[in-house]
Amino acid sequence: MSRLIEQIKQKDACAFTHGGKFHADDVFSSALLLYINPEISITRGNSVPDDFTGIVFDIGRGEFDHHQKDSRIRKNGVPYAAFGLLWEAVGADILGEELAVKFDESFVQPLDNNDNTGEKNELATLIGNFNPSWDYEGGSDEAFFQAVSVAGMILENKFERYRGNERADKRVEEVLAKHDPASRILVLPEFIPCQKALSETDIAFVIFPSNRGGFCIQPQKREYSMNYKCSFPAEWLGLEGEELVNATGIPGAIFCHKGGFIMTVKEQDEAVKACEKALSLHKDSSVIVWYGSKGDTAAKACDSQTDELLMNVAKARGIKGVHICHVDAMPVPQLELTELDSETAYAEVLMEKPQWKAYVKEQVKQIVKYRPEAVYVEGNAFETYPVIRALRKKHIPVLTMIENKEKKIMVRIP
């Protein structure tokens, strides 16, 4: 047990943080202390009392503050805030070393970065909205502890989710150890979250008992892809009951979602038959979208070197039946500029934010309709960058070409 954990768990433990406007950093720091010891007393103020002997965070320039010039920065460049400094000291005691690192990377660091740099974060915005309005005449302590209460519930749920995922990974390992590696159908004794664990395997379908009776079938996605290794036939999608029975030839067929992400049947052997039929009817057909500025794309369409590199990417990822689809970047609508500064050749785009968002949304729509395995991007950064950003948010692999030692290679944008 760490020194800090022992201090937090003391019977009369107390802590101090800054008063006034609060942020996700001091709120989640407080929630973390209360998670460890629900009885700890947390006080807010503008300066740390001289005789205070408890835990001080996000104020005072001490061990758990980050406002001093020499405040610490992680090896990956993300600066610590109070939440991260506290988590570094207690995280391993809560989740264990390995999960504590993962939790820091996925949950703590974005909040630390938001507090230090102002980078947008939806959770930080939500917590910040608990602050009273600017002209509220009372104090902010009541609102602060309301936010802490919400943050505490989020932390508890997150911790349990991480522990649950760890239990699921171990359970999946046990099931896979008994699974025939030649079979692309995995039958689970009960529902176990496993899509991430199976993405790198050849398993295309997972079957498990439904909590509504019968059995569920879930197709599995390829790694770094929005597509399934094998999809249900299009003729099954959106059907149920007798219509689905007639379409599949399976007497116990119950329901197939129109999105193709789940199907239910009455018996386990019928679920296996449905998977086998889907596999027998499946034809590998995948798309890599080549996206670029209008004119550039058409001119490059015959560039066999680029096509060859893209096909090599598909081959390396085990994707078969690939063809390349060219999508031109749409011209920016009504591109009006401010008056050009003749000395600096600088101008700004006169476009309202909603119009810009609509433009990007339409661009992405044109690409996503192909359900691409990846998108290769080239051309004008003004047109392509916002689209790249939107695609990455959808977890679609985005490729670009670089020269490495005078050799052209494809790389995936991280």
Side-chain angles (χ1 to χ4, degrees):
M1 184 182 296
S2 71
R3 170 191 59 81
L4 182 60
I5 287 279
E6 291 179 352
Q7 185 179 2
I8 296 169
K9 287 188 172 182
Q10 288 179 1
K11 183 179 179 181
D12 298 321
C14 58
F16 188 94
T17 191
H18 68 82
K21 186 176 182 179
F22 51 84
H23 310 88
D25 183 32
D26 43 311
V27 168
F28 272 99
S29 295
S30 300
L32 180 60
L33 297 179
L34 287 164
Y35 175 84
I36 298 168
N37 179 6
E39 302 301 321
I40 190 171
S41 172
I42 299 175
T43 306
R44 306 174 76 225
N46 295 325
S47 61
V48 184
D50 293 336
D51 59 349
F52 190 80
T53 57
I55 300 157
V56 178
F57 63 95
D58 212 28
I59 193 174
R61 307 299 174 100
E63 182 180 2
F64 303 114
D65 192 13
H66 64 109
H67 295 99
Q68 53 270 49
K69 286 185 178 180
D70 60 348
S71 59
R72 292 175 54 211
I73 299 175
R74 294 173 175 85
K75 290 181 180 179
N76 64 359
V78 177
Y80 281 95
F83 186 35
L85 293 168
L86 287 167
W87 179 253
E88 181 186 42
V90 303
D93 288 292
I94 295 174
L95 291 180
E97 291 284 353
E98 187 175 340
L99 287 185
V101 171
K102 291 180 180 179
F103 187 77
D104 179 72
E105 291 173 349
S106 65
F107 188 82
V108 181
Q109 289 189 27
L111 293 176
D112 276 13
N113 205 38
N114 165 266
D115 197 78
N116 280 291
T117 69
E119 182 174 296
K120 186 176 180 180
N121 181 283
E122 290 184 7
L123 180 56
T125 300
L126 183 151
I127 293 298
N129 285 339
F130 277 84
N131 278 284
S133 62
W134 67 274
D135 54 355
Y136 178 70
E137 295 182 359
S140 61
D141 283 4
E142 183 179 353
F144 172 80
F145 285 106
Q146 286 179 343
V148 169
S149 176
V150 171
M153 289 187 284
I154 292 172
L155 277 186
E156 286 187 29
N157 289 333
K158 279 286 184 181
F159 292 159
E160 185 49 42
R161 179 63 60 88
Y162 270 70
R163 295 184 186 111
N165 289 342
E166 185 178 46
R167 293 193 299 271
D169 289 344
K170 291 178 180 178
R171 186 73 179 96
V172 170
E173 286 180 11
E174 295 171 0
V175 174
L176 286 176
K178 302 175 183 178
H179 175 70
D180 178 3
S183 175
R184 302 193 67 194
I185 304 166
L186 177 65
V187 180
L188 299 175
E190 70 276 339
F191 170 74
I192 309 168
C194 61
Q195 294 229 8
K196 188 175 180 180
L198 299 182
S199 63
E200 296 182 41
T201 72
D202 224 17
I203 294 169
F205 290 102
V206 168
I207 298 169
F208 56 88
S210 170
N211 56 14
R212 298 180 181 180
F215 290 82
C216 293
I217 309 167
Q218 280 186 341
Q220 301 298 295
K221 288 185 176 180
R222 298 189 184 104
E223 188 180 18
Y224 305 120
S225 177
M226 62 192 297
N227 297 321
Y228 298 115
K229 299 168 189 174
C230 176
S231 301
F232 296 122
E235 297 77 16
W236 299 6
L237 304 183
L239 301 183
E240 62 180 311
E242 188 175 345
E243 285 185 326
L244 185 58
V245 170
N246 293 334
T248 61
I250 297 172
I254 300 172
F255 169 74
C256 185
H257 196 280
K258 66 180 181 180
F261 58 81
I262 197 164
M263 179 177 174
T264 55
V265 297
K266 290 180 180 178
E267 304 295 339
Q268 180 176 304
D269 63 331
E270 292 177 320
V272 173
K273 287 178 182 177
C275 296
E276 291 173 342
K277 182 167 284 192
L279 285 164
S280 69
L281 296 172
H282 178 70
K283 293 181 180 179
D284 283 316
S285 178
S286 303
V287 173
I288 292 179
V289 167
W290 183 340
Y291 173 77
S293 300
K294 192 171 182 63
D296 291 346
T297 304
K300 295 280 188 178
C302 297
D303 187 338
S304 59
Q305 183 184 17
T306 302
D307 280 358
E308 183 180 352
L309 287 171
L310 290 173
M311 296 302 287
N312 287 340
V313 170
K315 184 178 179 181
R317 295 183 58 211
I319 303 170
K320 301 175 183 178
V322 173
H323 67 278
I324 298 169
C325 177
H326 298 269
V327 176
D328 285 324
M330 297 166 55
V332 181
Q334 299 178 358
L335 183 55
E336 297 180 29
L337 303 175
T338 58
E339 184 176 347
L340 184 67
D341 185 322
S342 58
E343 292 184 5
T344 62
Y346 173 79
E348 293 189 6
V349 178
L350 293 171
M351 181 185 286
E352 296 295 329
K353 190 173 182 179
Q355 188 182 12
W356 177 254
K357 283 187 173 182
Y359 160 73
V360 174
K361 185 177 180 180
E362 183 60 30
Q363 293 273 277
V364 174
K365 181 181 176 181
Q366 295 301 315
I367 294 171
V368 171
K369 72 179 182 181
Y370 293 100
R371 296 189 64 84
E373 290 297 329
V375 178
Y376 167 64
V377 176
E378 65 172 20
N380 187 325
F382 177 78
E383 294 172 332
T384 59
Y385 170 73
V387 177
I388 290 173
R389 187 168 180 268
L391 292 171
R392 293 300 299 119
K393 283 186 175 182
K394 292 180 177 292
H395 305 290
I396 297 174
V398 179
L399 310 173
T400 191
M401 189 186 295
I402 65 169
E403 286 198 14
N404 184 34
K405 298 179 180 178
E406 299 183 353
K407 182 180 180 181
K408 290 183 178 180
I409 62 171
M410 286 288 171
V411 294
R412 183 168 69 88
I413 298 175

